[in-house]
Amino acid sequence: MKFRALILALALAACGQGAQTPAPQAPAANEAPDPFTLNIEIGRYGVMLSHVHALTGDRPGSAEPEVTDPRELARSLRETAWEYNIERSRLCARGLFTEVACGPAFEPVWISEPATAEPTLEELQARSNALGEEVMRFWNAVCEDARSREPDEQAKMYVCAIE
């Protein structure tokens, strides 16, 4: 009797573990992927990443990186370049600002360098300048449009004010 209970407990535990993270299943060879199912799957990954962010934001024991460290500056530049590409992609998908949003992604060679890379401050400045040119062109197009839609002249002065 105890042996059966032990087997049942192990089987239930195994079932519970598998239910938490179902393995993605490829469609059968004769079955085309379903775009709605694929959309749900992709959305699930986004939710998972949001959870990762929420669960690790205030995690005890994590150290804040030194903002003047070249590795940290390089990481920050890479993240900003990725964010720039993501925002452009989102606007392009919506048919907005196509002239500045729908071109090729900004992919300098340094965007995929390892976290251990430690470029010089001169190299980081050159990277920042290149990224700044891209972002400013995008920013100006979006801000000009936002200003043109603002009827209040006083409020128009504050559209895209960052300082």
Side-chain angles (χ1 to χ4, degrees):
M1 185 70 161
K2 287 182 181 182
F3 183 70
R4 281 191 213 170
L6 181 61
I7 297 292
L8 181 60
L10 289 173
L12 289 174
C15 290
Q17 288 176 353
Q20 291 175 358
T21 54
Q25 294 181 355
N30 60 351
E31 205 178 306
D34 176 28
F36 295 106
T37 302
L38 189 56
N39 181 51
I40 290 169
E41 182 178 318
I42 293 167
R44 184 176 293 127
Y45 300 147
V47 170
M48 291 166 76
L49 290 173
S50 293
H51 282 260
V52 166
H53 179 74
L55 293 169
T56 59
D58 294 334
R59 188 174 186 279
S62 65
E64 287 297 318
E66 181 60 45
V67 297
T68 58
D69 178 56
R71 286 178 301 214
E72 175 59 18
L73 291 167
R75 184 201 56 77
S76 183
L77 276 168
R78 287 190 304 273
E79 284 185 6
T80 303
W82 293 330
E83 290 169 1
Y84 166 70
N85 286 328
I86 290 168
E87 191 58 39
R88 287 180 59 226
S89 176
R90 287 178 178 154
L91 290 178
C92 182
R94 295 174 50 205
L96 297 172
F97 307 102
T98 57
E99 66 282 354
V100 292
C102 294
F106 178 64
E107 296 179 296
V109 295
W110 50 263
I111 199 169
S112 59
E113 72 185 358
T116 56
E118 199 168 326
T120 66
L121 290 177
E122 291 77 18
E123 177 62 25
L124 290 167
Q125 184 64 64
R127 293 175 183 188
S128 180
N129 292 346
L131 179 58
E133 286 178 25
E134 294 285 324
V135 171
M136 288 303 295
R137 188 169 50 88
F138 184 59
W139 165 269
N140 288 333
V142 172
C143 290
E144 283 176 27
D145 175 71
R147 283 187 203 100
S148 73
R149 292 182 289 110
E150 177 56 60
D152 182 342
E153 289 301 316
Q154 184 73 18
K156 192 177 286 201
M157 292 181 349
Y158 298 104
V159 171
C160 291
I162 58 172
E163 298 199 30

